[in-house]
């Protein structure tokens, strides 16, 4: 048996083993059941429930068809490789080898995705950035982070929408909230929650001295249409104001922006991106539900840790990653110790290696695809 045949056979064996472990057969039955349910005349009478079911159906379809497609391609290539053992053809062999490259890359990505097994990892994400200590440098740093995450999302072909943007006095931003839509968006970006530090020669210091600045990143899953969070109307205080950011003449000339405060918890959310006050209210309510869910999850985790006698970090103030551009260039994650000297690439959205290192660390360093 040739080396090429062996290689394809090993890959196919790994894929088939994983398909069994993922129980794709039963997921195919789930797809049939949900498809039948979606054809019911009353299916869309409960819009929230229907959307949740359709999201589940689409995710199952994508998972099953992707793995089946990879297995089919490998089977085809295996047949060609076996044929080449009987009738050697250099040109055909080169084509088989070339065809194998993108399949191996796809398997590597699928292996990466298998580490995303958290309850909400497949969901969209709501990402907020807040300037910390460091004055105008921190506000500039917060804007650099926003640009980095938007570029990362673009690279992954995820849809983004800036819900709220509060400008800094001189430069950058004080805070912003962004919705990122795409499968596993939360699973990828949950690694980014925490305090990010930047060390550089300040462009805002006349003496051009080195400054350290901080920004906090909050990452929560978009749980709308998935979990029922009951909010009493009397517990909400709503203010409207004129939007200050970009958004067209209509936005800037009317009190369309919405600030919503949940009085029992003190949680405040704002939205000024949409063109009407009604739309901004709807988005603000979605943000509030997500934050309330996050709060309940956090309370549960802290209580569990307390009962176990573990130390609980009460907020996101833990420094997770540092970017140094002077006197040397390095980005280092303090949780995984993963680092790179390519600060320019990192700030341009190349953060996948850090996400991958975090997920591997959370999984105990064991590859998901055996």
């Amino acid at each position: 048996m040739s080396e090429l045949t062996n290689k394809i056979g090993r890959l196919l064996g790994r894929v088939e083993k994983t398909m069994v472990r993922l129980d794709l057969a039963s997921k195919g039955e789930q797809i049939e059941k949900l498809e039948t349910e979606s054809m019911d005349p009353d299916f869309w009478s409960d819009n929230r429930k229907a959307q949740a079911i359709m999201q589940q159906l689409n995710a199952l379809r994508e998972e099953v068809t992707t793995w089946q497609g990879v297995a089919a391609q490998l089977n085809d290539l295996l047949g060609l490789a076996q044929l080449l053992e009987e009738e050697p053809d250099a040109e055909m062999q080169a084509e088989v080898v070339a065809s194998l490259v993108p399949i191996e890359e796809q398997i590597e990505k699928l292996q990466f995705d298998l580490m995303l097994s958290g309850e909400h990892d497949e969901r969209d994400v709501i990402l907020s950035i807040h300037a910390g200590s460091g004055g105008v440098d921190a506000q500039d740093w917060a804007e650099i982070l926003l640009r980095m995450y938007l570029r990362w999302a673009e690279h992954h072909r995820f849809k983004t929408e800036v819900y709220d943007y509060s400008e800094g006095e001189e430069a950058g931003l004080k805070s912003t909230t962004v919705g990122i839509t795409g499968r596993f968006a939360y699973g990828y970006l949950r690694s980014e929650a925490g305090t990010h530090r930047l060390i550089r020669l300040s462009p805002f210091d006349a003496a051009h001295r080195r400054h350290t600045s901080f920004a906090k990143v909050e990452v929560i899953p978009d749980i709308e249409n998935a979990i029922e969070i009951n909010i009493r109307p009397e517990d909400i205080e709503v203010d409207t104001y004129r939007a200050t950011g970009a958004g067209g003449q209509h936005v800037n000339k009317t009190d369309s922006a919405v600030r919503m405060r949940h009085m029992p918890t003190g949680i405040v959310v704002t939205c000024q991106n949409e063109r009407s006050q009604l739309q901004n209210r709807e988005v603000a309510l979605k943000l509030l539900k997500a934050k309330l869910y996050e709060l309940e999850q956090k309370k549960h985790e802290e209580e569990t840790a307390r009962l176990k006698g573990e130390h609980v970090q009460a907020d996101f103030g833990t420094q997770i990653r540092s970017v140094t551009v002077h006197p040397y260039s390095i980005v280092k994650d303090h949780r995984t110790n993963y680092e790179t000297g390519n600060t320019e690439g990192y700030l341009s959205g190349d953060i996948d290696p850090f996400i991958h290192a975090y997920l591997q660390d959370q999984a105990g360093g064991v590859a998901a695809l055996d």
Side-chain angles (χ1 to χ4, degrees):
M1 189 175 291
S2 70
E3 182 180 342
L4 180 60
T5 304
N6 272 328
K7 181 177 182 180
I8 297 173
R10 286 196 302 270
L11 284 173
L12 181 59
R14 291 170 61 195
V15 168
E16 290 177 339
K17 181 180 178 182
T18 304
M19 290 172 69
V20 171
R21 182 156 59 87
L22 293 174
D23 197 7
L24 294 191
S26 91
K27 288 181 178 179
E29 294 174 0
Q30 281 182 266
I31 290 172
E32 291 181 7
K33 180 180 176 182
L34 292 174
E35 285 176 337
T36 301
E37 189 175 343
S38 68
M39 295 175 70
D40 189 292
D42 298 324
F43 178 71
W44 289 100
S45 59
D46 186 337
N47 191 61
R48 183 185 298 274
K49 180 182 177 182
Q51 286 185 359
I53 290 173
M54 290 307 297
Q55 285 180 348
Q56 181 186 8
L57 177 58
N58 290 333
L60 285 169
R61 281 173 176 163
E62 182 179 351
E63 182 179 18
V64 172
T65 57
T66 297
W67 283 103
Q68 288 178 340
V70 170
Q73 290 179 74
L74 287 172
N75 267 309
D76 289 343
L77 290 180
L78 182 60
L80 288 173
Q82 291 170 340
L83 181 62
L84 286 169
E85 289 182 357
E86 300 174 6
E87 302 176 19
D89 184 321
E91 186 176 342
M92 177 66 73
Q93 180 162 331
E95 289 182 13
V96 172
V97 171
S99 298
L100 197 57
V101 173
I103 298 175
E104 287 185 281
E105 291 175 352
Q106 186 178 15
I107 291 173
E108 185 177 346
K109 182 184 181 301
L110 289 171
Q111 177 178 355
F112 181 72
D113 290 346
L114 283 177
M115 289 188 284
L116 301 169
S117 57
E119 182 182 2
H120 300 298
D121 279 354
E122 288 195 42
R123 300 200 179 281
D124 302 333
V125 69
I126 298 169
L127 184 143
S128 299
I129 304 171
H130 307 275
S133 60
V136 66
D137 275 283
Q139 294 174 6
D140 187 52
W141 174 221
E143 186 170 52
I144 291 171
L145 285 173
L146 172 62
R147 185 166 59 248
M148 180 182 81
Y149 290 123
L150 291 178
R151 287 178 176 175
W152 174 87
E154 181 182 7
H155 175 72
H156 285 268
R157 297 180 181 177
F158 287 170
K159 179 183 175 184
T160 60
E161 183 175 5
V162 179
Y163 295 133
D164 188 55
Y165 186 99
S166 177
E167 295 181 352
E169 286 88 354
E170 297 180 43
L173 62 89
K174 293 179 181 177
S175 65
T176 186
T177 299
V178 185
I180 301 177
T181 304
R183 192 180 180 207
F184 293 122
Y186 174 70
Y188 290 137
L189 291 176
R190 61 183 167 87
S191 64
E192 301 303 295
T195 300
H196 296 243
R197 179 174 68 172
L198 173 67
I199 303 170
R200 64 172 179 177
L201 296 177
S202 172
F204 306 101
D205 185 335
H208 210 49
R209 291 170 295 191
R210 189 172 70 172
H211 282 235
T212 299
S213 49
F214 298 86
K216 183 172 74 171
V217 176
E218 295 176 335
V219 181
I220 54 179
D222 185 347
I223 48 82
E224 190 181 36
N225 303 325
I227 297 173
E228 192 66 34
I229 300 292
N230 295 314
I231 302 176
R232 299 189 306 170
E234 59 267 29
D235 287 341
I236 300 177
E237 182 180 84
V238 180
D239 296 321
T240 59
Y241 59 97
R242 188 162 298 178
T244 57
Q249 293 181 352
H250 177 74
V251 171
N252 293 324
K253 289 187 176 181
T254 64
D255 290 343
S256 60
V258 171
R259 180 183 295 107
M260 190 174 289
R261 180 174 180 268
H262 187 245
M263 290 182 285
T265 61
I267 292 175
V268 177
V269 295
T270 58
C271 182
Q272 59 177 318
N273 180 65
E274 306 298 337
R275 288 187 172 272
S276 76
Q277 187 182 115
L278 179 61
Q279 289 174 313
N280 280 325
R281 279 175 177 265
E282 291 176 352
V283 173
L285 188 60
K286 178 176 81 168
L287 298 177
L288 179 58
K289 286 181 177 180
K291 284 186 174 288
L292 286 172
Y293 176 76
E294 180 198 30
L295 181 63
E296 289 304 311
Q297 285 289 93
K298 190 175 178 181
K299 286 180 180 177
H300 175 72
E301 290 168 3
E302 290 179 357
E303 178 62 15
T304 300
R306 185 187 68 79
L307 292 173
K308 290 181 179 179
E310 299 173 358
H311 172 71
V312 176
Q313 183 67 39
D315 54 36
F316 288 108
T318 309
Q319 182 176 299
I320 65 162
R321 197 173 299 155
S322 294
V323 179
T324 304
V325 295
H326 183 83
Y328 48 83
S329 294
I330 190 171
V331 184
K332 181 172 182 177
D333 193 296
H334 302 292
R335 301 161 300 177
T336 64
N337 288 322
Y338 182 85
E339 61 183 50
T340 179
N342 184 15
T343 55
E344 183 177 349
Y346 173 81
L347 295 176
S348 294
D350 185 15
I351 64 173
D352 279 343
F354 288 88
I355 294 173
H356 199 168
Y358 176 82
L359 290 173
Q360 283 190 318
D361 185 70
Q362 292 291 296
V366 179
L369 184 58
D370 297 322

